[in-house]
Amino acid sequence: MYTTTDTARPGGIRNAFRRGEAWLDQRGKWAWIALMILGFIVNPLIGLAVLAYMIWGKQMFARTCGQRRQHDQSWGRRSAQPTGNSAFDSYKADALRRLEDEQAAFESFLQRLRNSKDKTEFDAFMDERARANATGTAAEPKAEADNRPGEY
């Protein structure tokens, strides 16, 4: 028969890490940052290990990132909802319509600008080509006397 004594807490080292993690989570993200800095002071590898765990193990402050993502997605829905103030709602609809018209006008201006630039470049190319053909300096392959047949 074997007799055992409980000199260590049950669960081993993993349980100790979980308790430490829970303790740090209760104190917030600043406790994690302080642990990381302390780890860098003691040994840079410890600091890197804590940083890696914060980024990949805990999804680095996932709660705040999730709240921000929810806020960004709900913004488009909230702007389309009426506020209950008819004067403000009509002003908002008029301002949005005016902004959309200005955006469409600006995009058409940019398109006309691109087209005119392309046409200017093409006209310059055609003029240069016409001048080269008029002076006879067109790049034509000339046969050189020192080349043997079949060589280039």
Side-chain angles (χ1 to χ4, degrees):
M1 285 210 214
Y2 295 100
T3 60
T4 59
T5 59
D6 289 331
T7 57
R9 292 185 183 206
I13 189 114
R14 287 185 183 165
N15 196 23
F17 283 135
R18 286 189 186 119
R19 279 190 319 235
E21 178 185 0
W23 185 82
L24 286 169
D25 283 342
Q26 288 174 352
R27 275 128 188 95
K29 66 181 175 182
W30 294 109
W32 282 100
I33 293 171
L35 177 68
M36 180 187 61
I37 292 171
L38 184 66
F40 275 115
I41 291 171
V42 171
N43 186 347
L45 294 178
I46 294 173
L48 285 175
V50 172
L51 178 64
Y53 182 74
M54 286 171 56
I55 292 173
W56 291 289
K58 303 285 291 169
Q59 284 81 31
M60 195 167 187
F61 319 123
R63 186 173 51 234
T64 57
C65 294
Q67 288 171 352
R68 189 176 312 123
R69 194 175 314 112
Q70 265 182 343
H71 174 73
D72 291 344
Q73 290 173 351
S74 66
W75 177 252
R77 290 189 300 265
R78 278 192 283 142
S79 65
Q81 294 175 349
T83 61
N85 185 341
S86 61
F88 177 73
D89 289 340
S90 65
Y91 168 77
K92 182 173 72 170
D94 189 36
L96 288 174
R97 186 173 35 256
R98 187 179 67 247
L99 288 172
E100 288 171 355
D101 293 342
E102 287 178 11
Q103 181 180 3
F106 183 69
E107 287 174 356
S108 67
F109 167 74
L110 286 179
Q111 187 61 41
R112 287 193 314 270
L113 188 65
R114 284 186 204 110
N115 290 343
S116 67
K117 182 181 175 187
D118 290 346
K119 181 165 176 28
T120 304
E121 289 175 357
F122 180 72
D123 289 343
F125 168 74
M126 292 302 288
D127 290 342
E128 182 182 324
R129 185 172 175 206
R131 272 193 308 253
N133 284 338
T135 60
T137 59
E140 296 177 11
K142 298 178 181 175
E144 295 186 17
D146 60 342
N147 283 351
R148 292 183 282 173
E151 290 185 1
Y152 297 100

